[in-house]
Amino acid sequence: MIAVADAAPAVRDVTSVSTYAWWVQLAEKPFPDPLAQLDWAILPLGLQPGLPALEALLYDGETVGPVLCCPRHRKLYVPVAAESQRSLMGERLGVRRGRDLSCPFDQRHRGGCDGRVWLLPADPRHLTDLVALADRVARVRSARSLTATATACA
C-alpha cells in the first residue's frame, strides 16, 4: 500500500491511499517505458479522483501506463496518446500537448517540486486510454457526490 502525503515540511497529512501494488520509480528521468519510444501528451488530474479512477481501470483489466505523481501539489500527470490532445474529449479534460510535466507555479512552492515519483503498474508498456480514464473519473466523482449528498441528508 502506498500513502501519498503532502510534501510540505509541516505536519504530513495523508491525502490519498492506494490499494494497488504500484512499482515506484523514484527519479523523474529517465522516462519509464513506453514513454521513451512513444509520442504522448499529458492529462493532469488531482490525486482525488485520479488515483481511484486509475486503480479502478487496473482492477477491471484495462490498460494503464506510467503515472507521474506530485505529492506536493496533490497532482497526477497521466501520459495519454498524443492524438488525444486534439480530440474533443482531450480538449474538455485539459490534455496538454507534448511532454509538459510541469507543476503549477505558486507562492507556496517556489522551489520547484521535489519528491515526484513515477507510479508504474505491473505492465507499464502501454499508455493509459483517455476514454476509459475519463469514464472512471466521472464515475468516481459521481460516487463521491452521491456519498456526500447521502451524508448531508443523514
Side-chain angles (χ1 to χ4, degrees):
M1 175 169 44
I2 297 171
V4 179
D6 189 353
V11 178
R12 298 174 71 90
D13 297 322
V14 173
T15 57
S16 187
V17 175
S18 172
T19 58
Y20 182 79
W22 295 94
W23 291 93
V24 178
Q25 178 179 311
L26 297 176
E28 283 187 54
K29 294 198 177 173
F31 290 138
D33 286 334
L35 303 183
Q37 295 89 14
L38 298 174
D39 191 19
W40 44 277
I42 287 293
L43 173 61
L45 287 172
L47 277 174
Q48 298 293 337
L51 199 55
L54 287 163
E55 290 183 354
L57 287 175
L58 288 164
Y59 287 127
D60 289 345
E62 299 281 344
T63 333
V64 173
V67 178
L68 184 65
C69 176
C70 179
R72 172 170 278 176
H73 290 103
R74 295 180 171 107
K75 286 283 206 186
L76 297 174
Y77 298 93
V78 183
V80 294
E83 59 270 10
S84 301
Q85 192 261 336
R86 294 181 295 277
S87 72
L88 182 60
M89 183 175 293
E91 288 178 14
R92 186 173 53 91
L93 293 173
V95 173
R96 299 193 302 210
R97 84 187 310 178
R99 299 174 178 214
D100 181 8
L101 294 169
S102 61
C103 280
F105 180 82
D106 58 33
Q107 296 300 321
R108 198 170 134 223
H109 301 109
R110 284 188 196 174
C113 297
D114 52 351
R116 294 188 347 164
V117 297
W118 283 101
L119 302 178
L120 308 170
D123 182 11
R125 294 177 293 159
H126 309 280
L127 294 174
T128 303
D129 180 80
L130 179 65
V131 174
L133 180 56
D135 175 63
R136 291 315 189 292
V137 167
R139 289 184 193 191
V140 168
R141 285 183 176 148
S142 177
R144 288 183 184 242
S145 175
L146 289 173
T147 302
T149 301
T151 304
C153 291

